[in-house]
Amino acid sequence: ELTIEKFYSKNFYYLITASLFDSKYQNKNMVWHNTIYNNKYAGNILIGKEFKLKKNNAISVNVRYMLRGGNRYTPIILSESIKKAIAVLDYTQFYEAQYPDYWRTDLSVSYKKNKNKSTWSYGADIQNVTDRKNLINQTYDVANKRINDSYALPRIPILFIRCEF
């Protein structure tokens, strides 16, 4: 693991993290297999800047980028699934297949007003600002006799008002 951090000073901060790992388990035959979470790596970059305005007011801008290897999965055997009208998994490939890398960029903008005994913030977070389609699951569709892809959440705007006292 690696972490690089600049603590908040001069109205600026950043945090960079990176991890390399291998997530496996050993079965009763003493054979090692991947777990669903054996993505191999994960990382984040978080950067924030605050712009001072009039006395006690500021605008903050924060960007976060996250990246990790895709989760592992056991492939569906389409021809067998069609014959049996149920998802048939290829257990000779148990957690050997891997979805594409998962990555996402989030953006946050807020206006902060400091008062004597409280701080009010008004802002917006936009998760997955690029609207990336991250593949996270596959299922067998019995009615249409095909494999369907499921994706992580699309772009999500979140408006907020926060009071800290």
Side-chain angles (χ1 to χ4, degrees), residues 100-159:
D101 289 351
Y102 177 101
W103 64 265
R104 187 178 96 194
T105 304
D106 301 337
L107 174 66
S108 172
V109 179
S110 66
Y111 172 75
K112 189 187 303 185
K113 185 170 182 91
N114 292 309
K115 297 188 172 199
N116 285 341
K117 295 184 180 181
S118 64
T119 299
W120 287 83
S121 297
Y122 311 88
D125 288 333
I126 303 173
Q127 296 179 0
N128 194 10
V129 72
T130 63
D131 203 22
R132 169 144 166 100
K133 292 179 78 171
N134 287 298
L135 180 62
I136 58 166
N137 193 29
Q138 290 184 324
T139 55
Y140 176 64
D141 182 344
V142 176
N144 296 310
K145 299 179 180 177
R146 68 175 186 209
I147 296 172
N148 289 335
D149 294 337
S150 297
Y151 297 92
L153 293 172
R155 182 182 304 122
I156 301 175
I158 301 168
L159 301 175

Side-chain angles (χ1 to χ4, degrees), residues 26-75:
Q26 193 174 34
N27 68 11
K28 67 181 180 180
N29 297 328
M30 307 303 283
V31 177
W32 287 97
H33 295 278
N34 290 314
T35 70
I36 193 171
Y37 302 108
N38 195 11
N39 320 78
K40 298 290 189 186
Y41 60 89
N44 289 283
I45 299 172
L46 177 63
I47 300 171
K49 174 79 174 153
E50 190 170 85
F51 301 92
K52 298 288 183 185
L53 301 173
K54 295 187 255 174
K55 182 181 176 185
N56 299 326
N57 298 342
I59 292 177
S60 294
V61 178
N62 300 283
V63 177
R64 178 174 77 164
Y65 175 78
M66 64 178 83
L67 169 69
R68 67 171 169 78
N71 283 350
R72 299 290 178 152
Y73 68 99
T74 304

